[in-house]
Amino acid sequence: MVRMIHKTALLCFIFQIFVESSSAARILPSCFGKPPPQRLRELLESEMNGTRENPKPILLPCCYDGLSARLVGRSGFEATFLSGFGASAAYGYPDTQLISYDEMRQAAQYVSEGLSSSALEQNKDDVTVCIVDGDTGHGNAVNAKRTIFGFAKAGMAGVMIEDQVSPKRCGHVAGKSVIGFEEAVMRVKAACDARDEYEQLYGEGSGPLILARTDALETNGFDHAIERCIAFRDAGCDMTFLEAPRTVEQMKEYCTKVSGPKLANMLEYGKTPILPPEELKEIGYTMAAYPLTLLSASIKAMQESLDLIKSGQPTDDLIMPFDETKDVVGFTQYAAEEKRYSVE
């Protein structure tokens, strides 16, 4: 037993030397993979410094459950966003913070599993990274820190924190209001501190990146909203999101005045002009989210199918063949794994 313990200690010592060597530092990422936040950070950096070599910004079709996440991953997107609007809808509620932190954390877990399973099926080295809607942090600044930790453990690469008064609501609907300037900055700072503390506990690159959102344009005007974005950057956030700019000129001014990665929210029929991805990149946006496209398309398809069923008409033109449906939800991979571990 003593000899075994000594042997184990020796192996651990050798592994530590291996890790600390410069050659090992180059090998480990490909052998052991990278935490989602680190991969998101590298993706953002490559877009910001021009090494990504893509005429479009980073596109984020927004998912809302495990199935939609699998579809995004299978389609080859680099990143996605777990929409609070979509997740609320999947639970059967509007986006007015009726679902709890734990329900959203559980949705993040399902999305994380959907993205990882689709990557394994395609034998991809990198899983599609996901930023999650953290709403207002689900309470005060201390609650916001717990929210960051919970989403980190669920496999999220980033967390969005906003400055609305709780209960918050979709940024493109009436009735929203924001907290005061100083409180908003402290909420973002708490989220950034949680990111750093998580990384201190669990290792470099593990702390989820913070996307700080302001809805102050609607309530306090454009100039004040820009001041909030700048203050959020000073507080340590990794990315900013000015919600619902009304004109292309406002979008350009935001990108000019605020440093760091920036998110454009391309909500069809919303308040912000819908621009081609190439134009968004030219303006200065790093990412472009499509928050309700998948949800809205699925609602339309289901309503049309229900109308056909109700009227007694065939639905063949609207649905996929059964074999394709089984493949999308994971039966093909399940059968392969079942065979892999079968016992004669």
Side-chain angles (χ1 to χ4, degrees):
M1 176 65 72
V2 173
R3 184 179 299 173
M4 184 180 296
I5 293 173
H6 288 171
K7 184 177 181 181
T8 302
L10 177 60
L11 288 172
C12 290
F13 176 70
I14 293 172
F15 180 74
Q16 183 178 0
I17 295 174
F18 174 75
V19 168
E20 292 174 352
S21 69
S22 58
S23 59
R26 293 191 295 270
I27 295 172
L28 281 174
S30 60
C31 292
F32 289 79
K34 300 177 183 178
Q38 182 179 340
R39 286 189 278 111
L40 176 58
R41 186 180 297 280
E42 291 176 0
L43 179 61
L44 291 170
E45 289 175 352
S46 67
E47 174 63 18
M48 295 288 289
N49 63 28
T51 58
R52 183 166 164 266
E53 297 183 349
N54 192 311
K56 301 181 181 68
I58 301 163
L59 303 179
L60 290 80
C62 294
C63 60
Y64 49 90
D65 60 10
L67 177 57
S68 57
R70 280 179 56 83
L71 289 169
V72 171
R74 286 164 64 98
S75 296
F77 284 92
E78 300 164 292
T80 184
F81 187 100
L82 171 49
S83 159
F85 190 116
S88 296
Y91 279 109
Y93 296 105
D95 183 21
T96 52
Q97 213 166 6
L98 284 172
I99 66 172
S100 67
Y101 155 70
D102 196 55
E103 287 171 315
M104 196 65 187
R105 183 198 55 77
Q106 191 172 52
Q109 184 69 56
Y110 290 138
V111 163
S112 181
E113 291 174 4
L115 293 173
S116 61
S117 66
S118 66
L120 287 170
E121 289 173 15
Q122 300 172 86
N123 198 27
K124 289 174 57 179
D125 292 332
D126 289 333
V127 181
T128 301
V129 293
C130 183
I131 302 172
V132 61
D133 187 350
D135 286 339
T136 60
H138 297 274
N140 63 15
V142 181
N143 291 95
K145 295 184 73 171
R146 179 172 184 250
T147 296
I148 302 303
F149 265 63
F151 284 136
K153 292 174 181 176
M156 296 293 99
V159 183
M160 183 177 77
I161 296 293
E162 62 188 72
D163 59 1
Q164 281 198 50
V165 171
S166 183
K168 58 86 61 183
R169 60 193 64 210
C170 169
H172 290 253
V173 302
K176 65 180 182 178
S177 57
V178 297
I179 58 178
F181 188 97
E182 291 79 10
E183 185 181 355
V185 173
M186 284 297 102
R187 179 182 287 177
V188 171
K189 185 179 186 304
C192 295
D193 287 346
R195 172 201 61 203
D196 298 341
E197 290 164 8
Y198 191 92
E199 194 156 298
Q200 182 180 353
L201 290 172
Y202 295 103
E204 184 178 356
S206 63
L209 275 58
I210 304 302
L211 170 61
R213 161 180 159 176
T214 183
D215 286 73
L217 190 156
E218 180 80 17
T219 57
N220 300 68
F222 179 77
D223 290 339
H224 180 85
I226 293 297
E227 290 177 9
R228 288 196 178 213
C229 288
I230 293 172
F232 294 163
R233 286 288 290 164
D234 291 341
C237 79
D238 303 283
M239 310 162 276
T240 58
F241 170 23
L242 172 65
E243 174 64 301
R246 299 299 186 91
T247 66
V248 175
E249 288 68 30
Q250 287 183 341
M251 298 168 77
K252 289 180 178 179
E253 190 170 350
Y254 160 56
C255 289
T256 300
K257 290 185 174 181
V258 180
S259 66
K262 290 169 279 288
L263 174 72
N265 196 29
M266 296 288 96
L267 173 59
E268 297 90 345
Y269 305 108
K271 297 178 179 180
T272 300
I274 302 296
L275 302 179
E278 293 83 358
E279 187 173 351
L280 289 171
K281 179 161 183 166
E282 185 178 340
I283 287 174
Y285 282 103
T286 318
M287 301 168 284
Y290 296 83
L292 298 185
T293 309
L294 297 185
L295 175 65
S296 182
S298 64
I299 291 173
K300 183 177 180 180
M302 285 190 283
Q303 286 180 332
E304 291 177 357
S305 298
L306 289 168
D307 289 340
L308 290 174
I309 293 170
K310 192 173 184 179
S311 62
Q313 300 180 55
T315 58
D316 304 57
D317 292 340
L318 286 178
I319 66 174
M320 300 171 64
F322 184 45
D323 285 345
E324 291 183 25
T325 301
K326 289 190 296 179
D327 181 60
V328 167
V329 301
F331 272 97
T332 304
Q333 180 67 14
Y334 180 86
E337 288 289 283
E338 189 176 40
K339 182 177 180 181
R340 178 184 177 190
Y341 298 108
S342 64
V343 179
E344 295 295 336

